[in-house]
């Protein structure tokens, strides 16, 4: 399975300063994922004795749009007026995606996705 997934989030965000240098933010809402995928398989079955074998192949292309939800949190620390560092995490559930080629089926489980972010920020 080879797939391209494009995610979109829509929801409110709340940012709370904690002291002079720290800030904490929370957000949550609707998560949307657009998937375009290609599923391809090849299997060989060899028989003993005759040396002959059977090769089966299959392929399919598909696209789908998954809908679910997300929740995320982030904490940041401003070490100067302009520069800060941040770290955060997001949990997302948009369900499962199933694709079939011939008599084979593959399932992509996107019910427990966790994303971690970290970085450096500059305000001007």
């Amino acid at each position: 399975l080879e797939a391209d997934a494009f995610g979109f989030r829509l929801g409110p965000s709340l940012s709370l300063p904690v002291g002079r240098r720290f800030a904490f933010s929370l957000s949550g809402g609707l998560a949307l994922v657009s998937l375009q995928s290609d599923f391809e398989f090849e299997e060989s079955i060899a028989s003993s004795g005759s040396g002959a074998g059977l090769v089966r192949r299959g392929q399919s292309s598909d696209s789908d749009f998954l809908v679910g939800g997300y929740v995320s949190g982030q904490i940041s620390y401003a070490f100067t007026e302009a520069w800060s560092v941040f770290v955060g995490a997001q949990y997302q559930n948009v369900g499962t995606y199933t694709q079939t080629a011939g008599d084979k089926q593959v399932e992509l489980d996107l019910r427990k996705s966790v994303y971690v972010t970290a970085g450096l920020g500059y305000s001007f």
Side-chain angles (χ1 to χ4, degrees):
L1 177 68
E2 187 173 316
D4 293 320
F6 301 94
F8 307 92
R9 298 179 304 163
L10 178 64
S13 180
L14 174 66
S15 184
L16 302 168
V18 181
R20 290 190 49 205
R21 298 206 177 262
F22 285 96
F24 183 73
S25 65
L26 287 172
S27 63
L30 184 67
L32 307 168
V33 174
S34 173
L35 280 167
Q36 292 82 38
S37 62
D38 295 312
F39 175 36
E40 188 175 323
F41 75 92
E42 178 177 306
E43 63 184 359
S44 301
I45 302 170
S47 64
S48 61
S50 71
L54 174 67
V55 175
R56 293 180 1 147
R57 294 180 180 92
Q59 74 89 27
S60 70
S61 295
D62 191 26
S63 63
D64 201 359
F65 202 72
L66 304 175
V67 179
Y70 80 96
V71 62
S72 69
Q74 180 175 294
I75 189 163
S76 64
Y77 174 75
F79 53 91
T80 70
E81 268 191 47
W83 291 96
S84 63
V85 292
F86 62 88
V87 64
Q90 174 186 315
Y91 171 80
Q92 180 174 291
N93 179 346
V94 291
T96 58
Y97 170 73
T98 304
Q99 186 172 347
T100 304
D103 63 346
K104 303 296 179 189
Q105 185 175 24
V106 64
E107 181 179 273
L108 184 58
D109 185 355
L110 298 171
R111 294 177 294 180
K112 301 174 191 168
S113 301
V114 175
Y115 305 94
V116 176
T117 60
L120 181 64
Y122 179 76
S123 299
F124 49 94

